[in-house]
Amino acid sequence: MPTRTSLRVSEPEAPEQGATDGSRLPAVRREDLRRHLPGIEPERQLNDWGRSERIEGLLDKTLVDFFYRYWFRCEVEGIENVPSSGGALLVSNHSGALPPDAPMIGKAIKEEHPHPRPLNITVEHFFKGYPGFSMLIPKVGCVPAHPANVQRLLFDEQQLVLVFPEGRKGTEKLYKDRYKLRRFGRGGFVEAAMRARTPIVPVCVVGAEEAAPIFAQVSALQRLTGFLYFPITPTFPHFGMLGMLGYLPAKFKIRFLEPIHFEEEGMHEDKALVQTVAHEIRARIQENLFEMVATRKSVWFG
């Protein structure tokens, strides 16, 4: 197994006995190596996942804060259900052509929680196929949706992790099917939480379906362009790729439900229990979504 390299400069070794001056390279002192090192920014802060505080902070000030406060005018309920410490898995509904729900959930925890914490967002692996975008998403707290990654974040690093069990099926929903949850896969998110013995916090988001509604999917253009899917929205494809960010000013409401705890060891081995809990979580989110939609008076004003 190859050993890991280090940037630390080793002390020059003493020449071997009997070696002549021409048999070894001349010794190089520490100060002479500085010009060979790349420029290092003292203020640069990256974690093991490639998350950049500087880039994340810049996007927060220029885009996320504007959308959260002035465009979507987010209202938050139950923020106290998000643990102040330790690992926790947040499970949310997912919707919209380019879903704005994940950054709004992360911003809600940052702004409304008494003990703000960073949120790690799991994303599908297909994002690696989009140059530029694939380099940006790790820097803003996104990690590939893999069980090993979730386990490490929850158990080893005691972090908050956001998952969308609907996956692509949620983002491909048409407007006529808004707020009707798709199937939650095979319950892998429940198994991950059970294995790490961390709580699951269900999250309900209302507003994203109207902010980025999809009226149709054009499969022929999808194959022609190579896109993951080719949606017809109020601003796409009429305004090009920027049209994917052309969100309508729908009122956002985010509700954090009471956490579900898994404290017994080995619960993840019971596959029937995993499926049952996954169905229960989906039912809880669905019930709250219907209630939130039924009680709001206006899509735009809440």
Side-chain angles (χ1 to χ4, degrees):
M1 184 174 181
T3 58
R4 298 182 63 180
T5 58
S6 172
L7 292 178
R8 186 170 60 182
V9 181
S10 303
E11 292 287 349
E13 298 179 359
E16 295 179 3
Q17 196 171 16
T20 61
D21 292 341
S23 64
R24 296 179 62 85
L25 293 175
V28 181
R29 299 187 181 279
R30 288 179 182 272
E31 54 267 52
D32 298 327
L33 291 175
R34 286 186 175 274
R35 61 190 180 89
H36 299 288
L37 296 174
I40 298 177
E41 307 168 75
E43 73 280 2
R44 186 185 185 197
Q45 297 185 10
L46 291 173
N47 66 8
D48 290 345
W49 303 94
R51 189 171 195 159
S52 170
E53 290 187 4
R54 186 171 60 174
I55 293 179
E56 189 175 15
L58 177 63
L59 287 178
D60 181 78
K61 292 178 181 177
T62 56
L63 285 178
V64 179
D65 190 71
F66 168 76
F67 279 113
Y68 182 84
R69 297 183 185 278
Y70 306 109
W71 197 252
F72 296 140
R73 295 147 291 137
C74 294
E75 289 185 7
V76 181
E77 304 175 34
I79 192 67
E80 67 277 2
N81 290 320
V82 179
S84 299
S85 61
L89 188 66
L90 278 63
V91 179
S92 175
N93 59 305
H94 202 34
S95 59
L98 189 61
D101 40 28
M104 294 302 106
I105 294 173
K107 183 68 171 176
I109 296 174
K110 181 178 180 180
E111 295 295 328
E112 315 297 339
H113 202 280
H115 302 285
R117 305 175 60 188
L119 180 66
N120 300 275
I121 305 167
T122 58
V123 296
E124 297 284 353
H125 295 269
F126 59 75
F127 282 116
K128 293 181 179 180
Y130 295 88
F133 191 65
S134 61
M135 297 176 62
L136 175 64
I137 55 176
K139 296 184 182 298
V140 295
C142 298
V143 297
H146 190 278
N149 293 339
V150 176
Q151 171 72 12
R152 176 181 168 184
L153 286 165
L154 290 177
F155 185 76
D156 299 336
E157 302 184 13
Q158 299 288 292
Q159 297 287 325
L160 294 180
V161 181
L162 174 64
V163 298
F164 299 104
E166 291 178 279
R168 274 175 49 185
K169 299 187 296 293
T171 61
E172 294 174 353
K173 274 188 301 188
L174 300 183
Y175 184 68
K176 64 183 179 66
D177 298 321
R178 59 192 179 279
Y179 301 117
K180 296 178 182 178
L181 294 182
R182 294 291 191 255
R183 183 174 174 269
F184 271 18
R186 299 179 181 177
F189 68 97
V190 176
E191 184 175 345
M194 288 179 172
R195 188 186 299 272
R197 283 187 281 178
T198 55
I200 288 179
V201 181
V203 185
C204 308
V205 181
V206 167
E209 300 273 14
E210 292 85 8
I214 299 176
F215 302 127
Q217 296 279 3
V218 185
S219 56
L221 291 177
Q222 172 191 351
R223 292 191 296 269
L224 182 64
T225 60
F227 289 167
L228 182 66
Y229 54 87
F230 199 98
I232 303 298
T233 74
T235 56
F236 183 84
H238 335 306
F239 297 102
M241 293 305 297
L242 288 178
M244 294 293 285
L245 293 174
Y247 299 121
L248 302 179
K251 175 77 171 179
F252 265 48
K253 292 187 177 182
I254 304 174
R255 177 181 293 178
F256 297 89
L257 306 181
E258 293 184 4
I260 303 169
H261 296 275
F262 309 102
E263 298 177 353
E264 297 181 16
E265 189 174 355
M267 296 179 68
H268 64 279
E269 298 176 358
D270 188 340
K271 302 304 180 183
L273 177 61
V274 169
Q275 285 290 332
T276 300
V277 174
H279 289 316
E280 289 178 355
I281 292 174
R282 180 183 179 277
R284 286 183 60 184
I285 296 176
Q286 183 69 87
E287 180 183 0
N288 277 267
L289 285 175
F290 283 156
E291 187 266 329
M292 293 167 71
V293 172
T295 55
R296 70 175 177 178
K297 297 179 181 179
S298 169
V299 170
W300 316 113
F301 304 106

